[in-house]
């Protein structure tokens, strides 16, 4: 389970960066969807990292 958490914690920010770069380079009609997806991945990544860090600190004595 720990490896899955680390993999998700790594993939969310990478996905956010890829989507945001694609949004900047792509001038088509799906630009807003790429931006929204990148911002959503970024927010989920920040929230997940904060929550897991808080949980890890809470478990330590």
């Amino acid at each position: 389970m720990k490896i899955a958490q680390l993999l998700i914690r790594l993939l969310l920010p990478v996905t956010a960066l890829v989507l945001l770069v694609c949004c900047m380079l792509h001038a088509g009609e799906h630009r807003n969807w790429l931006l929204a997806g990148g911002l959503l991945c970024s927010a989920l990544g920040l929230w997940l990292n904060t929550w897991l860090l808080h949980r890890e600190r809470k478990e330590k004595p």
Side-chain angles (χ1 to χ4, degrees):
M1 189 66 180
K2 185 91 170 169
I3 293 180
Q5 286 178 355
L6 290 175
L7 189 63
I8 292 171
R9 289 170 84 172
L10 175 70
L11 286 179
L12 278 172
V14 170
T15 305
L17 286 173
V18 168
L19 286 172
L20 292 172
V21 167
C22 287
C23 172
M24 288 188 280
L25 296 177
H26 184 41
E29 59 190 51
H30 300 292
R31 189 172 184 201
N32 288 337
W33 287 106
L34 292 172
L35 177 63
L39 291 174
L40 181 65
C41 286
S42 177
L44 283 174
L46 286 172
W47 178 82
L48 183 65
N49 283 331
T50 304
W51 180 68
L52 289 174
L53 185 64
H54 182 272
R55 192 177 79 177
E56 288 171 4
R57 286 184 181 175
K58 196 174 187 180
E59 290 176 356
K60 286 185 179 180

